[in-house]
Structure formats: structure tokens, C-alpha cells
Amino acid sequence: MRKGRTFKGGIHPPGNKELSSGKAIVDMAPPGEVVVPLQQHIGAPCKPLVKKGDTVNKGQKIGDTDAFVSAPIHAPVSGVVKAVESRVHPAGCKIQAIVIENDGEERLDPSITPAGDLDSLDAAAIKNIVREAGIVGLGGAAFPTHVKLNPPPDKKIHTLIMNGCECEPYLTCDHRLMVEQPEKIVYGTRALLRALGISKAFVGIEENKPDAIAAMEKAVAQYPNIEVVPLKIKYPQGAEKQLITAITGQEVSVGCLPMDTGVVVNNVGTAVAVATAIQTGMPLIERVVTVSGEGVREPQNLLVRLGTRFSDVLEAAHGFSGTPKKVIMGGPMTGMTQFDLSVPVVKGTSGILVFNRLKTATKPEACIRCGRCVDACPVFLLPVSIVQYADGGQLSAAVEWGLLNCIECGSCSYVCPANRFLVQSIKLAKEEVRAERSKKTS
């Protein structure tokens, strides 16, 4: 077994995972009201299938669309629809959402039935189950899983990689799933292999999770086609292209997708969701969320119904410890700062982090051409040059230097001794480029 594999570049920020890595997953009681956005995934938003006043069942489909790149939405509780209206989303924008008053009955929708034995399901059946269950990537990107399971005919897939790296500081939800539910991860992995029509899978796990590695190795012992691969502790080890390189040695070329190299990558949490959908018929209506940071009274890992307000989740972790200065959804490197704690948990909410102490803001200084951002970049870009063009309004030149290839991991900003806002400048420039291209095509 290969050990300590990794990729070129990357950084080593403090992990701070000890705050919650030893905390078993706790099933949080569903709240009295849920706010369920109709877009919790990359792709087209769903249209509501219910209206104000309707009674809904737990697991009932309440939003869907005919678009291929999308994922349906389901009711996380039984109750009455109070409203279908625009609500604030954790991404900072307003999204149409379905507000449900929980009746506390936990009444299951009649459609919730087990799919049967895995060996009796063919690829088409599994793909349909995954799609109808609204399953998306639970590592944070929220890309619809059924899309990954339907590559174009010219993309010959030969390898499945299950991502258990969880390289972002503080986050431990995937860690706990691997420790507590390794059999479900293996079941989901086998289902994904069957859906793709291939036989080989790897499970990549960073070496700072020895208990997860041990649990997963035990769970795959009877499946020689599934191999656990320990990986060096480095950020962003869990980024798809970097993970592929670390495990297979293959480089994913610029402008290409993982499937162009014959590889599909899925998160271990996604595998649990797939297993749940097949074994019980329950769609994706809940997920594990790490609640952590020095601003949380009791950091822990909670199994939370989608649509639960951040404020309710934080209360379940016994509230704030001190005066919070910043709340982030996701990890500190790529997560989104929140300004309203009434926003709901969505499919991509891997963590809610609270910080009381912030690094004193330092005025950015002139670039000293040290090259640290170049050494850290896992995509082999020259962040300093891209930002120079972007800040100067030369967007076409920035694109030529690889602007759109940036994965926005933040490694460049983290290592910059001049405190320059490199990744922030790149994000803004990418939005400007997309806006310009949108105008040209409209």
C-alpha cells in the first residue's frame, strides 16, 4: 500500500481539528421551522412543487427541474408550508425558498421505500436513485452526483476516488463518518462503482486521521477492489485534481476535468447519502455539520436537517463562548463569512465556524517578488503575475496567464509576506470575466 502520497505545492496551516475530531456525531433535534432554498447545488435552481398551505411529508419532493445539471429538493420534516418566498442564502444572495412549519409528527412520505439489495440493482437504477434523492457532493462544492455518474460516451472512466482528506482546518464531519459509519461508506462506494460500470476504487485519507484509516481499512478488507490510501497532511490535498495526482500519479491537464483522465471523485459523505437512499429510500434531507472554533462553547459534529437556521445549530452547540467576531460556513480557507445567522443549513454546509480573535488587518504592501505564492500554488500558476494584470484592468492578459484555472484555494494569500489579497483579486477578476462573457452571449 502506498503511503504518504501527495502533490506539488500546497501549504500547512494549523489544523485545529482536535476541538471536534474526538466528538461523536450527535443527532440534532429538528427545529420548529425549516427554510429550504430551491437551489442548494451547482446548476439550475428547482421550481417549487408545493404552495403555501400545503401539508408535506418528511422526504417528500418539494422542488425539481428538468435541467440535467441540478438536483431535486425534499422536505426535511413533515408539516405545513408557511411560505414560498425569497430568503437569504448562506452564499450571501437571496434565493427562493420553501418555509415549512414542523408538525413534529415525522410523518414519512409514502414514496420512502428501500430499493432492495444492491446486487439486484443495475447501473441505470442506481443513477436514478441518486438523482431522485437529490444527492450532491457533500464536500462543499455541491455538484450533482448523478451528473458525475453519467459521463459523455467518449470519457472512459476506469477509477473512482472517494475523498476522505478533509484538508480544511477545523472540519471533522468526514472524519467522524469514516470512524463511525465506514460500512455505509463502503456500501455507497460499491454502489457508485456499479453505477459507473467499473471495479477499482481508492479512498484517500490524510495521515492525521489514523483512526479513520484503521476503520476504513477494516471495512474494505473483504473488497480487494477498494483500497485505502494514506496521504500526507497538506492543504489542499482534498481538491479533486490534486487528489487524483496524489493517488494515481496522473496530472489533470489545464482546462480538463477529472473524467478526462478516466477518474471520478466523490466525497465519503456523498457515499453515505447514496447508501442511505438505497437502503432506506430516504433522500438527502440531513447532513453532518462540524460546529467549531474558539467562539463555540462546545465544538461538536451534529447531524442536522437541511433548512435548519445557523442560529439553531449554534444553540445546539450551547451557543457562543465570548463575543464572536466572525462566523464562517465551511472551512477557514475557502468558506464564506456570514452576516445573518438566520440563514439555513444547505447541502454544502460542511461546517459552521466561530472566531473571537481575528488577525489584525495589515495594509497590503508592494510585492517583493519572493515567489512564495508560486511555490504554494497547487495548479502551477503565477498568482503574482495574474493579480498584476487583473488589478491593472488587463483581464484578457490575466486570462492568458491562467486566471480561470485558479481553484481559489487561498494558498497564495496565506503565504504572502506582503499581505496582498491575491485570491480575493483573482475571484473578483473571474467574476468580471464571466460578466463580460455573459453580456456577449446574451
mmCIF file of all heavy atoms in Angstrom, residues 309-330:
data_model
loop_
_atom_site.group_PDB
_atom_site.id
_atom_site.type_symbol
_atom_site.label_atom_id
_atom_site.label_comp_id
_atom_site.label_asym_id
_atom_site.label_seq_id
_atom_site.Cartn_x
_atom_site.Cartn_y
_atom_site.Cartn_z
ATOM 1 N N ARG A 309 -31.827 26.767 10.739
ATOM 2 C CA ARG A 309 -31.103 28.029 10.816
ATOM 3 C C ARG A 309 -29.767 27.862 11.537
ATOM 4 O O ARG A 309 -29.650 27.070 12.471
ATOM 5 C CB ARG A 309 -31.938 29.083 11.545
ATOM 6 C CG ARG A 309 -33.153 29.570 10.766
ATOM 7 C CD ARG A 309 -33.925 30.612 11.571
ATOM 8 N NE ARG A 309 -35.008 31.193 10.796
ATOM 9 C CZ ARG A 309 -36.221 30.665 10.680
ATOM 10 N NH1 ARG A 309 -36.492 29.519 11.293
ATOM 11 N NH2 ARG A 309 -37.149 31.266 9.961
ATOM 12 N N PHE A 310 -28.773 28.632 11.083
ATOM 13 C CA PHE A 310 -27.463 28.589 11.731
ATOM 14 C C PHE A 310 -27.588 28.889 13.223
ATOM 15 O O PHE A 310 -26.886 28.306 14.050
ATOM 16 C CB PHE A 310 -26.515 29.615 11.079
ATOM 17 C CG PHE A 310 -25.860 29.133 9.814
ATOM 18 C CD1 PHE A 310 -26.476 28.194 9.005
ATOM 19 C CD2 PHE A 310 -24.627 29.634 9.425
ATOM 20 C CE1 PHE A 310 -25.866 27.755 7.830
ATOM 21 C CE2 PHE A 310 -24.008 29.202 8.262
ATOM 22 C CZ PHE A 310 -24.632 28.260 7.460
ATOM 23 N N SER A 311 -28.454 29.826 13.570
ATOM 24 C CA SER A 311 -28.623 30.198 14.982
ATOM 25 C C SER A 311 -29.084 29.007 15.813
ATOM 26 O O SER A 311 -28.642 28.821 16.953
ATOM 27 C CB SER A 311 -29.621 31.353 15.113
ATOM 28 O OG SER A 311 -30.867 31.033 14.505
ATOM 29 N N ASP A 312 -29.950 28.161 15.240
ATOM 30 C CA ASP A 312 -30.411 26.972 15.959
ATOM 31 C C ASP A 312 -29.287 25.950 16.110
ATOM 32 O O ASP A 312 -29.172 25.282 17.147
ATOM 33 C CB ASP A 312 -31.587 26.339 15.217
ATOM 34 C CG ASP A 312 -32.850 27.187 15.256
ATOM 35 O OD1 ASP A 312 -33.004 27.981 16.198
ATOM 36 O OD2 ASP A 312 -33.673 27.058 14.332
ATOM 37 N N VAL A 313 -28.475 25.817 15.068
ATOM 38 C CA VAL A 313 -27.348 24.881 15.134
ATOM 39 C C VAL A 313 -26.355 25.329 16.207
ATOM 40 O O VAL A 313 -25.866 24.524 17.011
ATOM 41 C CB VAL A 313 -26.639 24.767 13.768
ATOM 42 C CG1 VAL A 313 -25.451 23.824 13.860
ATOM 43 C CG2 VAL A 313 -27.612 24.274 12.695
ATOM 44 N N LEU A 314 -26.055 26.616 16.232
ATOM 45 C CA LEU A 314 -25.125 27.140 17.233
ATOM 46 C C LEU A 314 -25.681 26.976 18.647
ATOM 47 O O LEU A 314 -24.935 26.703 19.592
ATOM 48 C CB LEU A 314 -24.816 28.607 16.938
ATOM 49 C CG LEU A 314 -23.961 28.832 15.689
ATOM 50 C CD1 LEU A 314 -24.008 30.289 15.237
ATOM 51 C CD2 LEU A 314 -22.516 28.411 15.950
ATOM 52 N N GLU A 315 -26.977 27.123 18.789
ATOM 53 C CA GLU A 315 -27.605 26.925 20.096
ATOM 54 C C GLU A 315 -27.466 25.470 20.543
ATOM 55 O O GLU A 315 -27.279 25.175 21.726
ATOM 56 C CB GLU A 315 -29.075 27.328 20.041
ATOM 57 C CG GLU A 315 -29.790 27.291 21.386
ATOM 58 C CD GLU A 315 -29.183 28.242 22.412
ATOM 59 O OE1 GLU A 315 -28.657 29.304 22.018
ATOM 60 O OE2 GLU A 315 -29.244 27.912 23.622
ATOM 61 N N ALA A 316 -27.551 24.537 19.587
ATOM 62 C CA ALA A 316 -27.382 23.121 19.898
ATOM 63 C C ALA A 316 -25.963 22.817 20.370
ATOM 64 O O ALA A 316 -25.734 21.820 21.060
ATOM 65 C CB ALA A 316 -27.732 22.273 18.683
ATOM 66 N N ALA A 317 -25.016 23.692 19.981
ATOM 67 C CA ALA A 317 -23.631 23.552 20.444
ATOM 68 C C ALA A 317 -23.400 24.424 21.683
ATOM 69 O O ALA A 317 -22.274 24.775 22.002
ATOM 70 C CB ALA A 317 -22.663 23.952 19.339
ATOM 71 N N HIS A 318 -24.506 24.766 22.344
ATOM 72 C CA HIS A 318 -24.500 25.535 23.596
ATOM 73 C C HIS A 318 -24.054 26.977 23.422
ATOM 74 O O HIS A 318 -23.578 27.609 24.369
ATOM 75 C CB HIS A 318 -23.654 24.827 24.663
ATOM 76 C CG HIS A 318 -24.118 23.427 24.947
ATOM 77 N ND1 HIS A 318 -25.239 23.142 25.705
ATOM 78 C CD2 HIS A 318 -23.648 22.228 24.520
ATOM 79 C CE1 HIS A 318 -25.415 21.829 25.757
ATOM 80 N NE2 HIS A 318 -24.470 21.245 25.040
ATOM 81 N N GLY A 319 -24.214 27.490 22.210
ATOM 82 C CA GLY A 319 -24.035 28.914 21.977
ATOM 83 C C GLY A 319 -22.604 29.383 21.900
ATOM 84 O O GLY A 319 -21.649 28.594 21.833
ATOM 85 N N PHE A 320 -22.453 30.702 21.927
ATOM 86 C CA PHE A 320 -21.141 31.322 21.784
ATOM 87 C C PHE A 320 -20.348 31.278 23.083
ATOM 88 O O PHE A 320 -20.906 31.360 24.180
ATOM 89 C CB PHE A 320 -21.280 32.784 21.348
ATOM 90 C CG PHE A 320 -21.899 32.976 20.003
ATOM 91 C CD1 PHE A 320 -22.993 33.810 19.837
ATOM 92 C CD2 PHE A 320 -21.395 32.321 18.889
ATOM 93 C CE1 PHE A 320 -23.572 33.997 18.589
ATOM 94 C CE2 PHE A 320 -21.956 32.490 17.643
ATOM 95 C CZ PHE A 320 -23.057 33.328 17.489
ATOM 96 N N SER A 321 -19.052 31.197 22.924
ATOM 97 C CA SER A 321 -18.124 31.347 24.035
ATOM 98 C C SER A 321 -17.381 32.657 23.808
ATOM 99 O O SER A 321 -16.480 32.728 22.978
ATOM 100 C CB SER A 321 -17.130 30.176 24.078
ATOM 101 O OG SER A 321 -16.162 30.376 25.082
ATOM 102 N N GLY A 322 -17.801 33.704 24.500
ATOM 103 C CA GLY A 322 -17.204 35.006 24.250
ATOM 104 C C GLY A 322 -17.999 35.773 23.208
ATOM 105 O O GLY A 322 -19.146 35.446 22.896
ATOM 106 N N THR A 323 -17.372 36.793 22.659
ATOM 107 C CA THR A 323 -18.019 37.644 21.662
ATOM 108 C C THR A 323 -17.517 37.284 20.271
ATOM 109 O O THR A 323 -16.340 37.477 19.963
ATOM 110 C CB THR A 323 -17.724 39.129 21.936
ATOM 111 O OG1 THR A 323 -18.144 39.450 23.262
ATOM 112 C CG2 THR A 323 -18.447 40.019 20.938
ATOM 113 N N PRO A 324 -18.393 36.761 19.412
ATOM 114 C CA PRO A 324 -17.938 36.336 18.082
ATOM 115 C C PRO A 324 -17.566 37.524 17.204
ATOM 116 O O PRO A 324 -18.265 38.534 17.178
ATOM 117 C CB PRO A 324 -19.134 35.582 17.524
ATOM 118 C CG PRO A 324 -20.313 36.156 18.247
ATOM 119 C CD PRO A 324 -19.820 36.498 19.616
ATOM 120 N N LYS A 325 -16.459 37.384 16.487
ATOM 121 C CA LYS A 325 -16.037 38.410 15.527
ATOM 122 C C LYS A 325 -16.328 37.981 14.091
ATOM 123 O O LYS A 325 -16.509 38.820 13.218
ATOM 124 C CB LYS A 325 -14.527 38.668 15.675
ATOM 125 C CG LYS A 325 -14.117 39.209 17.033
ATOM 126 C CD LYS A 325 -14.602 40.628 17.234
ATOM 127 C CE LYS A 325 -14.176 41.165 18.589
ATOM 128 N NZ LYS A 325 -12.716 41.211 18.764
ATOM 129 N N LYS A 326 -16.381 36.667 13.871
ATOM 130 C CA LYS A 326 -16.644 36.171 12.514
ATOM 131 C C LYS A 326 -17.253 34.776 12.586
ATOM 132 O O LYS A 326 -16.828 33.941 13.394
ATOM 133 C CB LYS A 326 -15.361 36.135 11.675
ATOM 134 C CG LYS A 326 -15.549 35.627 10.255
ATOM 135 C CD LYS A 326 -14.272 35.715 9.429
ATOM 136 C CE LYS A 326 -13.987 37.143 9.017
ATOM 137 N NZ LYS A 326 -12.910 37.217 7.990
ATOM 138 N N VAL A 327 -18.249 34.535 11.722
ATOM 139 C CA VAL A 327 -18.851 33.210 11.566
ATOM 140 C C VAL A 327 -18.684 32.809 10.104
ATOM 141 O O VAL A 327 -19.011 33.587 9.196
ATOM 142 C CB VAL A 327 -20.342 33.211 11.949
ATOM 143 C CG1 VAL A 327 -20.967 31.840 11.681
ATOM 144 C CG2 VAL A 327 -20.526 33.589 13.417
ATOM 145 N N ILE A 328 -18.173 31.615 9.880
ATOM 146 C CA ILE A 328 -17.885 31.143 8.529
ATOM 147 C C ILE A 328 -18.629 29.843 8.261
ATOM 148 O O ILE A 328 -18.674 28.955 9.115
ATOM 149 C CB ILE A 328 -16.372 30.901 8.334
ATOM 150 C CG1 ILE A 328 -15.604 32.217 8.428
ATOM 151 C CG2 ILE A 328 -16.072 30.217 7.002
ATOM 152 C CD1 ILE A 328 -14.100 32.056 8.363
ATOM 153 N N MET A 329 -19.231 29.729 7.073
ATOM 154 C CA MET A 329 -19.759 28.445 6.625
ATOM 155 C C MET A 329 -18.675 27.737 5.819
ATOM 156 O O MET A 329 -18.137 28.296 4.862
ATOM 157 C CB MET A 329 -20.995 28.615 5.741
ATOM 158 C CG MET A 329 -21.591 27.252 5.328
ATOM 159 S SD MET A 329 -22.986 27.340 4.182
ATOM 160 C CE MET A 329 -22.128 27.474 2.599
ATOM 161 N N GLY A 330 -18.343 26.521 6.225
ATOM 162 C CA GLY A 330 -17.270 25.790 5.565
ATOM 163 C C GLY A 330 -15.985 25.925 6.345
ATOM 164 O O GLY A 330 -15.981 26.186 7.551
#
